[in-house]
Amino acid sequence: DLLIIIKSSVAVLPDEMYRNLTMSSLTKVTPSLYMLNYQNDYYLDEILDRGVQTQDEVKEFFAEKFKINLNSNQSNDAYSCSSFNVYNNKNQNLFGRNFDFPVLSPTFVVWTNPPNGYRSISFVNGKYIGISEGEEIEKEKLLYSVYDIMDGCNEAGLAISFLALLNTPKVWQDDPKKKTITSPIMTKGVLDNCKNVAEAIDFFRKYNMHDISENRSLHYLITDSHGDSVIIEYIDNRMVTIKPYERENVKYSYLTNFMLIKQIGKGNENGVDRYNILKEKLKDDIVMEEDEAMNLLSKVHKNSTLWSNIYNTNELTVITAIRYNYTILYKFDLYRPNECFIYQKNY
């Protein structure tokens, strides 16, 4: 008798094939909006363990791992942003964010699903990964996208964004007991590793922070699916946390582009006008639907706004307006990579 033994196995593709899958997943929604399902390893644990002092070192790490030299620079152009969190009538946490940048460049929506971390959806400015407006996309550059995200939300419902503080000293911590990482790597590390605000604060404290520019620092708004939120700033290289406002047991935060703890540097009043618009609205009304939250973003947009996002950190979706066109909206789902629902809204 012939005995045949059949063993089931799962095929493991070489990393190069996963990289090809990532690059081939690029999908154009509009000439200025693209989707990318990032499927290969991006070695975040290794970069966190090694530490990086600057984004140039991040690019060196990328070149080492991917054999790709990336010619792109973090711009020192002034840019402005706005961010806040509110709630809808289902008591779901909504996280709003305008990304304002003075150079037109394409927006990339990037999904990641790391084997040892939380999956997430995040947004990337094409300029920062070497892709300019109107040019043919070199797909190899897309592999760098995870190292330079601007905002995002993970499957645990934690969302984060960072905003520029002009004319402030860059943050350059140097505790010898800690590894050092840059702002975008910190942001990606939080999304991959933290499920709530408390864990995100601990993650920040675990590392030395190095900012990405010479003439400005950054501050951060983090919120989670439970409605908690925190603002993180750095004063004299010391990390400071700012608790959310609270009304009727509901927590909310908002910020633009000046330091809340301490006024530092000339021109640090950038965004006071936008901040006051948010303050005036949110002091009376922190319960609003996604469309109302998007309408609030429209009131604080600039002519340099590349994208406006409303994340629902409970349903794990994000509604996006591109280049302050608030009548055509794009909806993405964290669990549905490279899918986009487009609809028109009249305010």
PDB file of all heavy atoms in Angstrom, residues 82-95:
ATOM      1  N   SER A  82      -4.016  72.673  12.430  1.00  0.00           N
ATOM      2  CA  SER A  82      -4.990  72.767  13.513  1.00  0.00           C
ATOM      3  C   SER A  82      -5.441  71.366  13.874  1.00  0.00           C
ATOM      4  O   SER A  82      -5.512  70.485  13.011  1.00  0.00           O
ATOM      5  CB  SER A  82      -6.216  73.599  13.090  1.00  0.00           C
ATOM      6  OG  SER A  82      -5.841  74.875  12.628  1.00  0.00           O
ATOM      7  N   SER A  83      -5.750  71.155  15.165  1.00  0.00           N
ATOM      8  CA  SER A  83      -6.172  69.822  15.586  1.00  0.00           C
ATOM      9  C   SER A  83      -7.067  69.936  16.817  1.00  0.00           C
ATOM     10  O   SER A  83      -6.893  70.843  17.638  1.00  0.00           O
ATOM     11  CB  SER A  83      -4.941  68.953  15.900  1.00  0.00           C
ATOM     12  OG  SER A  83      -5.256  67.592  15.871  1.00  0.00           O
ATOM     13  N   PHE A  84      -8.025  69.008  16.949  1.00  0.00           N
ATOM     14  CA  PHE A  84      -8.928  69.004  18.097  1.00  0.00           C
ATOM     15  C   PHE A  84      -9.591  67.637  18.210  1.00  0.00           C
ATOM     16  O   PHE A  84      -9.561  66.834  17.279  1.00  0.00           O
ATOM     17  CB  PHE A  84     -10.003  70.091  17.965  1.00  0.00           C
ATOM     18  CG  PHE A  84     -10.913  69.932  16.769  1.00  0.00           C
ATOM     19  CD1 PHE A  84     -12.031  69.100  16.816  1.00  0.00           C
ATOM     20  CD2 PHE A  84     -10.660  70.617  15.583  1.00  0.00           C
ATOM     21  CE1 PHE A  84     -12.866  68.956  15.707  1.00  0.00           C
ATOM     22  CE2 PHE A  84     -11.481  70.484  14.477  1.00  0.00           C
ATOM     23  CZ  PHE A  84     -12.591  69.646  14.543  1.00  0.00           C
ATOM     24  N   ASN A  85     -10.206  67.368  19.373  1.00  0.00           N
ATOM     25  CA  ASN A  85     -11.076  66.200  19.483  1.00  0.00           C
ATOM     26  C   ASN A  85     -12.404  66.593  20.121  1.00  0.00           C
ATOM     27  O   ASN A  85     -12.460  67.446  21.008  1.00  0.00           O
ATOM     28  CB  ASN A  85     -10.419  65.053  20.254  1.00  0.00           C
ATOM     29  CG  ASN A  85     -10.400  65.246  21.758  1.00  0.00           C
ATOM     30  OD1 ASN A  85      -9.717  66.139  22.259  1.00  0.00           O
ATOM     31  ND2 ASN A  85     -11.129  64.400  22.478  1.00  0.00           N
ATOM     32  N   VAL A  86     -13.481  66.006  19.599  1.00  0.00           N
ATOM     33  CA  VAL A  86     -14.843  66.239  20.079  1.00  0.00           C
ATOM     34  C   VAL A  86     -15.576  64.900  20.090  1.00  0.00           C
ATOM     35  O   VAL A  86     -14.955  63.844  19.957  1.00  0.00           O
ATOM     36  CB  VAL A  86     -15.592  67.260  19.186  1.00  0.00           C
ATOM     37  CG1 VAL A  86     -14.999  68.645  19.313  1.00  0.00           C
ATOM     38  CG2 VAL A  86     -15.582  66.810  17.724  1.00  0.00           C
ATOM     39  N   TYR A  87     -16.896  64.941  20.206  1.00  0.00           N
ATOM     40  CA  TYR A  87     -17.689  63.711  20.293  1.00  0.00           C
ATOM     41  C   TYR A  87     -18.937  63.854  19.442  1.00  0.00           C
ATOM     42  O   TYR A  87     -19.454  64.949  19.255  1.00  0.00           O
ATOM     43  CB  TYR A  87     -18.090  63.438  21.752  1.00  0.00           C
ATOM     44  CG  TYR A  87     -16.898  63.315  22.645  1.00  0.00           C
ATOM     45  CD1 TYR A  87     -16.288  64.441  23.167  1.00  0.00           C
ATOM     46  CD2 TYR A  87     -16.336  62.078  22.922  1.00  0.00           C
ATOM     47  CE1 TYR A  87     -15.155  64.353  23.948  1.00  0.00           C
ATOM     48  CE2 TYR A  87     -15.204  61.966  23.707  1.00  0.00           C
ATOM     49  CZ  TYR A  87     -14.621  63.111  24.218  1.00  0.00           C
ATOM     50  OH  TYR A  87     -13.496  63.014  24.972  1.00  0.00           O
ATOM     51  N   ASN A  88     -19.432  62.705  18.947  1.00  0.00           N
ATOM     52  CA  ASN A  88     -20.710  62.743  18.251  1.00  0.00           C
ATOM     53  C   ASN A  88     -21.821  62.272  19.179  1.00  0.00           C
ATOM     54  O   ASN A  88     -21.585  61.966  20.361  1.00  0.00           O
ATOM     55  CB  ASN A  88     -20.661  61.938  16.946  1.00  0.00           C
ATOM     56  CG  ASN A  88     -20.430  60.445  17.171  1.00  0.00           C
ATOM     57  OD1 ASN A  88     -20.609  59.923  18.289  1.00  0.00           O
ATOM     58  ND2 ASN A  88     -20.049  59.740  16.120  1.00  0.00           N
ATOM     59  N   ASN A  89     -23.027  62.203  18.656  1.00  0.00           N
ATOM     60  CA  ASN A  89     -24.177  61.854  19.497  1.00  0.00           C
ATOM     61  C   ASN A  89     -24.185  60.402  19.944  1.00  0.00           C
ATOM     62  O   ASN A  89     -24.970  60.023  20.815  1.00  0.00           O
ATOM     63  CB  ASN A  89     -25.483  62.191  18.764  1.00  0.00           C
ATOM     64  CG  ASN A  89     -25.730  63.689  18.691  1.00  0.00           C
ATOM     65  OD1 ASN A  89     -25.723  64.375  19.712  1.00  0.00           O
ATOM     66  ND2 ASN A  89     -25.925  64.209  17.487  1.00  0.00           N
ATOM     67  N   LYS A  90     -23.325  59.580  19.358  1.00  0.00           N
ATOM     68  CA  LYS A  90     -23.159  58.196  19.811  1.00  0.00           C
ATOM     69  C   LYS A  90     -22.068  58.074  20.869  1.00  0.00           C
ATOM     70  O   LYS A  90     -21.689  56.977  21.243  1.00  0.00           O
ATOM     71  CB  LYS A  90     -22.812  57.300  18.616  1.00  0.00           C
ATOM     72  CG  LYS A  90     -23.868  57.223  17.539  1.00  0.00           C
ATOM     73  CD  LYS A  90     -23.397  56.340  16.387  1.00  0.00           C
ATOM     74  CE  LYS A  90     -24.396  56.289  15.259  1.00  0.00           C
ATOM     75  NZ  LYS A  90     -23.900  55.472  14.110  1.00  0.00           N
ATOM     76  N   ASN A  91     -21.570  59.205  21.322  1.00  0.00           N
ATOM     77  CA  ASN A  91     -20.463  59.268  22.277  1.00  0.00           C
ATOM     78  C   ASN A  91     -19.185  58.658  21.705  1.00  0.00           C
ATOM     79  O   ASN A  91     -18.370  58.089  22.428  1.00  0.00           O
ATOM     80  CB  ASN A  91     -20.822  58.577  23.605  1.00  0.00           C
ATOM     81  CG  ASN A  91     -19.944  59.054  24.746  1.00  0.00           C
ATOM     82  OD1 ASN A  91     -19.509  60.216  24.776  1.00  0.00           O
ATOM     83  ND2 ASN A  91     -19.653  58.166  25.680  1.00  0.00           N
ATOM     84  N   GLN A  92     -19.018  58.805  20.399  1.00  0.00           N
ATOM     85  CA  GLN A  92     -17.788  58.362  19.743  1.00  0.00           C
ATOM     86  C   GLN A  92     -16.820  59.534  19.634  1.00  0.00           C
ATOM     87  O   GLN A  92     -17.221  60.671  19.414  1.00  0.00           O
ATOM     88  CB  GLN A  92     -18.110  57.814  18.351  1.00  0.00           C
ATOM     89  CG  GLN A  92     -18.964  56.554  18.372  1.00  0.00           C
ATOM     90  CD  GLN A  92     -19.413  56.136  16.985  1.00  0.00           C
ATOM     91  OE1 GLN A  92     -19.640  56.979  16.111  1.00  0.00           O
ATOM     92  NE2 GLN A  92     -19.559  54.836  16.774  1.00  0.00           N
ATOM     93  N   ASN A  93     -15.561  59.237  19.805  1.00  0.00           N
ATOM     94  CA  ASN A  93     -14.533  60.267  19.792  1.00  0.00           C
ATOM     95  C   ASN A  93     -14.157  60.629  18.357  1.00  0.00           C
ATOM     96  O   ASN A  93     -13.840  59.754  17.547  1.00  0.00           O
ATOM     97  CB  ASN A  93     -13.300  59.769  20.552  1.00  0.00           C
ATOM     98  CG  ASN A  93     -12.240  60.839  20.702  1.00  0.00           C
ATOM     99  OD1 ASN A  93     -12.541  61.981  21.027  1.00  0.00           O
ATOM    100  ND2 ASN A  93     -10.992  60.465  20.468  1.00  0.00           N
ATOM    101  N   LEU A  94     -14.185  61.913  18.035  1.00  0.00           N
ATOM    102  CA  LEU A  94     -13.796  62.409  16.718  1.00  0.00           C
ATOM    103  C   LEU A  94     -12.529  63.240  16.857  1.00  0.00           C
ATOM    104  O   LEU A  94     -12.427  64.094  17.746  1.00  0.00           O
ATOM    105  CB  LEU A  94     -14.907  63.266  16.101  1.00  0.00           C
ATOM    106  CG  LEU A  94     -16.284  62.631  15.982  1.00  0.00           C
ATOM    107  CD1 LEU A  94     -17.264  63.616  15.324  1.00  0.00           C
ATOM    108  CD2 LEU A  94     -16.241  61.323  15.209  1.00  0.00           C
ATOM    109  N   PHE A  95     -11.588  62.991  15.972  1.00  0.00           N
ATOM    110  CA  PHE A  95     -10.285  63.650  16.011  1.00  0.00           C
ATOM    111  C   PHE A  95     -10.104  64.423  14.720  1.00  0.00           C
ATOM    112  O   PHE A  95     -10.039  63.845  13.637  1.00  0.00           O
ATOM    113  CB  PHE A  95      -9.204  62.590  16.172  1.00  0.00           C
ATOM    114  CG  PHE A  95      -7.796  63.122  16.252  1.00  0.00           C
ATOM    115  CD1 PHE A  95      -7.424  63.991  17.246  1.00  0.00           C
ATOM    116  CD2 PHE A  95      -6.840  62.709  15.339  1.00  0.00           C
ATOM    117  CE1 PHE A  95      -6.109  64.457  17.341  1.00  0.00           C
ATOM    118  CE2 PHE A  95      -5.533  63.164  15.417  1.00  0.00           C
ATOM    119  CZ  PHE A  95      -5.169  64.045  16.414  1.00  0.00           C
TER     120      PHE A  95
END
